[in-house]
Amino acid sequence: MSKPLLGAHVSVAGGFPEGLRRGVELGCEVLQIFVKSPNQWKAKPIAGEDAAAFRAAHAASPIGTITAHAAYLINLAATDAEILAKSRAGLTEELERCDVLGVPGLVVHPGAHLGRGEDEGLTAIAESIDSIVAKRLAAPTRILVELTAGQGSVLGRTLEQLATIRERARHGDRIGFCLDTCHAFASGYAIETAAGWNDFLASLEQTIGFASVQCVHLNDSVHEKGSRKDRHENIGQGKIGAEAFRRVLTESRFAKVPMILETPMGDDELGHARDLATLRALL
């Protein structure tokens, strides 16, 4: 059995290379970062020397793939024309920042239909992605659409919805996906049991396919299965339970996929260190 690629979402406060330093300190093999504030539309451009320093630090580190997570403000299905334009421009800017830093994948929550209905909303997301990707066909960074918990009118809560987004996009071959254990559980998948996990994998194979999964977020869930509430808990401390994560870690078809913690840090800021130790103990 090959060892899974484990890491965490780390802060880049103090400069992008600081994220690498923090990841190395944690003993990560892979990382996830923000390339700008997740709660603002705009950011000052990344200076050439800063990008070069980050690339050099990455090359000199033991860290493998680095993934980024897009701003939470983005709604690719927005019904308000101004918010839709800002969402498309914001995602484009973050992709360009990833290009500069050498980050190959940008995870994004697809958005909420806000009352227009799921079918129209899924089409709107596909159109938004097309409008962005059509201008970036030669660019290296890919959009990774994340499976969501489905809170409110948020779309992307089922594997079928993710597949529909890709099918309706003209440039669907440029779309990858990110799975999240908390989101899958909260949206109703019974991944806490062996049978439920096998059913999830079978559905995955029939819808988006294993080859399109470029990232997995490892998070336990505060709330019950099917709650559609996106609230992460530390590994083994939530409703999913530790044993389910053993099955995720040992799934051979995810052997080369970065597995990223987004769990609570705790008052002592050691939450990720504890969760990495928990995951490795499961192996």
Side-chain angles (χ1 to χ4, degrees):
M1 183 188 74
S2 58
K3 188 176 73 168
L5 300 171
L6 297 178
H9 185 107
V10 295
S11 168
V12 294
F16 288 108
E18 283 296 292
L20 284 160
R21 183 189 62 76
R22 293 180 179 105
V24 171
E25 274 189 3
L26 275 170
C28 295
E29 286 112 26
V30 290
L31 287 183
Q32 182 175 279
I33 62 171
F34 290 128
V35 294
K36 58 176 283 297
S37 168
N39 300 307
Q40 294 181 6
W41 288 112
K42 292 285 188 179
K44 67 177 184 179
I46 299 172
E49 57 267 30
D50 292 339
F54 179 74
R55 285 175 173 266
H58 185 196
S61 79
I63 302 296
T65 301
I66 299 176
T67 304
H69 198 298
Y72 301 127
L73 299 171
I74 291 169
N75 182 2
L76 299 177
T79 52
D80 180 287
E82 182 180 355
I83 298 299
L84 184 62
K86 281 185 173 182
S87 295
R88 291 178 174 185
L91 185 56
T92 299
E93 180 189 352
E94 293 205 47
L95 287 163
E96 290 169 349
R97 293 170 79 86
C98 288
D99 293 339
V100 168
L101 293 169
V103 173
L106 177 64
V107 177
V108 64
H109 297 175
H113 66 74
L114 302 174
R116 70 162 66 179
E118 291 186 358
D119 191 62
E120 279 191 39
L122 293 169
T123 297
I125 292 165
E127 290 173 349
S128 287
I129 291 173
D130 271 337
S131 74
I132 295 165
V133 173
K135 301 169 187 173
R136 296 178 38 83
L137 291 177
T141 304
R142 298 183 73 188
I143 294 172
L144 307 182
V145 181
E146 185 168 4
L147 180 71
T148 70
Q151 194 155 347
S153 68
V154 169
L155 294 165
R157 64 182 175 83
T158 67
L159 295 165
E160 287 78 13
Q161 287 188 355
L162 296 184
T164 297
I165 291 168
R166 182 172 65 185
E167 288 161 7
R168 293 182 183 179
R170 294 191 310 278
H171 301 293
D173 60 327
R174 293 281 298 168
I175 299 172
F177 297 102
C178 173
L179 303 179
D180 185 303
T181 52
C182 172
H183 298 177
F185 182 75
S187 70
Y189 290 104
I191 65 165
E192 81 283 11
T193 69
W197 175 242
N198 288 335
D199 288 346
F200 178 78
L201 294 179
S203 180
L204 192 159
E205 190 166 28
Q206 293 163 9
T207 52
I208 61 174
F210 283 90
S212 66
V213 178
Q214 303 294 306
C215 183
V216 174
H217 289 163
L218 299 176
N219 301 302
D220 212 323
S221 176
V222 169
H223 295 290
E224 300 285 349
K225 178 175 60 193
S227 66
R228 292 175 67 167
K229 293 179 180 179
D230 181 4
R231 179 97 182 275
H232 300 177
E233 182 57 282
N234 296 101
I235 304 300
Q237 303 300 308
K239 304 296 184 183
I240 298 175
E243 191 57 33
F245 289 93
R246 190 196 312 273
R247 289 187 282 271
V248 179
L249 295 174
T250 56
E251 172 50 56
S252 61
R253 288 167 290 188
F254 293 146
K256 296 182 180 179
V257 179
M259 294 191 173
I260 303 292
L261 289 164
E262 297 176 319
T263 49
M265 294 291 284
D267 293 339
D268 60 4
E269 298 290 304
L270 296 175
H272 287 163
R274 283 189 291 270
D275 284 337
L276 283 169
T278 299
L279 291 171
R280 287 174 175 140
L282 290 171
L283 295 167

